Amino acid sequence: MSEEALSAVEIQEAVAEALVKGKLKRVRRILRELTAQEVVDLLQQLDEQQQQLVWNQIGDEAEQDILLLLDPALAEHLLLHSNDNPDSAEPEADEAEEVSPIAQVREALEAGRFKRALKILGKLHPAQAAGLLEALPPTERSSIWSRLDSARAGRILVHLREEVGAGLAMEMADGKLLDAARQLDLDDLVDLIQALPFGPGRQLLLSMDVKKRQQLADMLSYPEESAGGLMNIDHISVRADVRVGSVLRYLRLLEDLPDHTDKLMVVDRENHYLGVLRLSRLVTSLADDLVSEVMDSDFKALDVLTSSQEVARQFEDLDMLSAAVTSEEGILLGRITVDDVMDSIREDSERAIMGMAGLDDEADMFAPVLTSTRRRSVWLGCNLITAFLAASVIGQFQGALEQIVALAVLMPVVASMGGIAGSQTLTLVIRGLALGQVDIGNLKVLLGKELGIGTLNGLLWAVLVAGVAILWFGSLGIGWVIGMAILINLVCAVLAGLLIPLILRRFGIDPALAGSMVLMAVTDVVGFSSFLGLATVFLL
């Protein structure tokens, strides 16, 4: 047997062994080293099941060259049963549960099976597909994004985080980006334009027709975190002086109603907002009734400059699905729907959670190392400053620590107790501010309540910790000092937890972003200085 024939046998044996053991990655590595003719020879030596398994590991780029050399009947059979074929059998339920979509897509991309990866992505809702893309490293994300059609890309774009969406949009050709943008609602298109750099965003705006360009320009003129930034103009308005029958005939002429349409906006001839006509009332009213007789004039509109937090609060309090947005003059501008409010609430929540760690909620999880390092180093630097501040306080009592070693052992207890007590109040106040439940009107009552809680908790845990310290170190003095320090620190901690968010908000700083860092500095400084100061006075 020739060396070449022996090599082919060895390849067949290696592939068969890898298939038996389920090592498909090894099969793909072997296939990448073979020519098209060698792959054809290998397929002809395998049984039917092995042929299909090997074929499913061949990359899309090599597939066409191999098909040209294969027997037509075998080629047709392999293509028919390929896992890229939309008519091929679905995986078993247990298998689908064991392998996540992320793992399936990454495996398909690694094998060069781009059609397989697109098929997996195509089964997902656009929001789920966006999450999957964000979970892929940038190179893999780009390789699958470039193969998506414009319509699918447009539906996914709106669900991507700002940094990821802007990056992928920049990778698209101008024509494809414009086609994708046409799939978006106006409010989503506004979000995309705002996420893009100025040049590409302006180019996308100018590529729209005159009517849509003017609508976009009007919507872009409002602050992003306002009712104007959340609203869409896809609403149906009717005049108060028309009859119900005329409204019903008008609606029947429309191909479809805007999403989340639960009410029609009622306006006068100058487009001033008058109220709403609920669809449930519309279909149960007589045809000869006037709209003014069956409308709800008590349903208030939202001012276009209302903050997004206030919008979310009103939607929650009033259980609304949609609400009108008006100008200062009462002109109807558009409406906000519950899906936009839910997006706003989710973004605010993520921003608060990520902000506590100094992270950007819109940042790419797979952003370059240097970019991510720069972002995080700023927050680490701020925390380092507060750490040095606490260390400087400890340094003032170096003599006390050298003489009484027990102080160094117990010192972290005082600081940690204050930190926990303060964070409880801080979280409560930040939530109250977000819900509009904390303001100058009830501040004194809340202050009294929190000071009461801090005092009672301080007394309880001061006695307990003092007892432990006395039993541990056999010193009544140390027990008395740490008990007093805990009482002082817990009272100061709840006071700081209440006042810090109010002060930060007064200066335009997000309490959720900086509150925990400032609180930690306060509780450390107060805890260390009270404990070590009392020890210096009474124990030395």
Side-chain angles (χ1 to χ4, degrees), residues 136-166:
L136 296 177
T139 53
E140 297 178 6
R141 184 190 298 159
S142 297
S143 67
I144 194 170
W145 180 257
S146 62
R147 291 171 169 82
L148 285 174
D149 60 86
S150 300
R152 179 68 170 167
R155 289 191 291 271
I156 294 176
L157 260 179
V158 67
H159 296 286
L160 290 168
R161 295 183 186 275
E162 186 173 298
E163 184 173 315
V164 178

Side-chain angles (χ1 to χ4, degrees), residues 77 125 206 227 346 446 468 519-520:
H77 176 80
H125 184 275
L206 295 177
R346 176 183 56 81
L446 185 60
V468 172
L519 176 66
M520 182 177 64

Side-chain angles (χ1 to χ4, degrees), residues 445-461:
V445 178
L446 185 60
L447 177 60
K449 176 221 170 190
E450 290 300 317
L451 285 176
I453 293 173
T455 302
L456 289 177
N457 265 330
L459 290 171
L460 171 64
W461 294 105

Side-chain angles (χ1 to χ4, degrees), residues 83-160:
N83 59 14
D84 292 335
N85 188 337
D87 297 324
S88 61
E90 294 293 332
E92 295 293 333
D94 294 341
E95 179 184 350
E97 291 178 1
E98 291 175 0
V99 184
S100 68
I102 297 174
Q104 293 178 36
V105 168
R106 294 203 68 196
E107 184 177 349
L109 292 175
E110 183 181 346
R113 308 294 290 181
F114 298 110
K115 288 186 290 186
R116 172 66 174 161
L118 289 172
K119 179 184 175 183
I120 297 170
L121 201 70
K123 294 178 180 178
L124 302 176
H125 184 275
Q128 296 173 316
L132 191 152
L133 286 173
E134 290 174 356
L136 296 177
T139 53
E140 297 178 6
R141 184 190 298 159
S142 297
S143 67
I144 194 170
W145 180 257
S146 62
R147 291 171 169 82
L148 285 174
D149 60 86
S150 300
R152 179 68 170 167
R155 289 191 291 271
I156 294 176
L157 260 179
V158 67
H159 296 286
L160 290 168

Side-chain angles (χ1 to χ4, degrees), residues 328-359:
E328 292 182 359
E329 296 78 22
I331 301 295
L332 179 64
L333 300 175
R335 66 170 186 146
I336 297 175
T337 53
V338 67
D339 58 325
D340 296 318
V341 176
M342 291 298 295
D343 289 342
S344 177
I345 293 173
R346 176 183 56 81
E347 291 169 3
D348 288 343
S349 175
E350 291 181 353
R351 188 181 298 115
I353 294 173
M354 300 288 281
M356 289 181 181
L359 300 176

Side-chain angles (χ1 to χ4, degrees), residues 502-522:
L502 299 174
I503 294 172
L504 291 176
R505 190 167 187 176
R506 177 68 178 82
F507 287 97
I509 302 173
D510 186 359
L513 177 62
S516 59
M517 183 181 66
V518 178
L519 176 66
M520 182 177 64
V522 171

Side-chain angles (χ1 to χ4, degrees), residues 204-514:
L204 181 59
L205 177 62
L206 295 177
S207 63
M208 300 294 167
D209 58 66
V210 176
K211 180 181 179 182
K212 182 172 286 190
R213 189 190 313 160
Q214 183 59 51
Q215 292 171 335
L216 289 170
D218 291 340
M219 296 174 69
L220 286 166
S221 66
Y222 302 115
E224 187 173 354
E225 300 298 325
S226 68
L230 293 175
M231 76 173 182
N232 203 334
I233 61 172
D234 63 339
H235 63 276
I236 299 176
S237 59
V238 296
R239 292 211 310 271
D241 56 355
V242 300
R243 299 193 180 277
V244 168
S246 301
V247 175
L248 290 172
R249 286 193 295 272
Y250 168 68
L251 294 180
R252 293 189 187 103
L253 294 175
L254 300 177
E255 293 183 1
D256 196 8
L257 297 180
D259 292 339
H260 305 291
T261 297
D262 64 319
K263 59 180 72 76
L264 309 181
M265 309 304 169
V266 183
V267 296
D268 61 16
R269 293 182 181 275
E270 286 75 36
N271 203 39
H272 288 94
Y273 174 80
L274 300 177
V276 297
L277 174 58
R278 302 178 189 274
L279 291 184
S280 57
R281 184 67 186 278
L282 174 66
V283 298
T284 57
S285 299
L286 298 176
D288 291 334
D289 289 341
L290 290 172
V291 169
S292 58
E293 297 172 348
V294 296
M295 63 180 278
D296 183 358
S297 57
D298 294 330
F299 197 92
K300 303 300 181 184
L302 297 169
D303 184 86
V304 69
L305 297 180
T306 302
S307 68
S308 58
Q309 291 83 2
E310 178 61 25
V311 170
R313 186 156 49 246
Q314 291 200 30
F315 265 74
E316 180 182 6
D317 293 343
L318 303 178
D319 292 328
M320 296 188 295
L321 292 179
S322 64
V325 178
T326 60
S327 66
E328 292 182 359
E329 296 78 22
I331 301 295
L332 179 64
L333 300 175
R335 66 170 186 146
I336 297 175
T337 53
V338 67
D339 58 325
D340 296 318
V341 176
M342 291 298 295
D343 289 342
S344 177
I345 293 173
R346 176 183 56 81
E347 291 169 3
D348 288 343
S349 175
E350 291 181 353
R351 188 181 298 115
I353 294 173
M354 300 288 281
M356 289 181 181
L359 300 176
D360 183 359
D361 63 303
E362 293 292 346
D364 183 3
M365 183 168 60
F366 291 99
V369 173
L370 290 178
T371 302
S372 298
T373 301
R374 185 180 68 252
R375 289 169 175 166
R376 300 188 190 188
S377 63
V378 174
W379 194 251
L380 290 172
C382 294
N383 278 274
L384 183 62
I385 294 174
T386 62
F388 273 119
L389 179 62
S392 67
V393 173
I394 298 173
Q396 301 298 317
F397 302 95
Q398 186 174 352
L401 289 170
E402 291 175 350
Q403 295 183 46
I404 307 176
V405 179
L407 298 179
V409 177
L410 296 172
M411 191 167 57
V413 176
V414 180
S416 64
M417 290 293 289
I420 293 297
S423 65
Q424 291 172 341
T425 304
L426 180 76
T427 303
L428 181 70
V429 175
I430 290 176
R431 176 182 176 274
L433 289 172
L435 297 176
Q437 297 174 346
V438 175
D439 61 23
I440 194 66
N442 61 2
L443 185 58
K444 289 184 179 180
V445 178
L446 185 60
L447 177 60
K449 176 221 170 190
E450 290 300 317
L451 285 176
I453 293 173
T455 302
L456 289 177
N457 265 330
L459 290 171
L460 171 64
W461 294 105
V463 172
L464 180 61
V465 175
V468 172
I470 291 171
L471 292 175
W472 190 354
F473 295 100
S475 171
L476 290 173
I478 289 179
W480 182 85
V481 166
I482 193 172
M484 287 298 297
I486 285 180
L487 175 61
I488 293 171
N489 201 22
L490 259 66
V491 172
C492 292
V494 296
L495 182 62
L498 176 63
L499 296 180
I500 285 172
L502 299 174
I503 294 172
L504 291 176
R505 190 167 187 176
R506 177 68 178 82
F507 287 97
I509 302 173
D510 186 359
L513 177 62

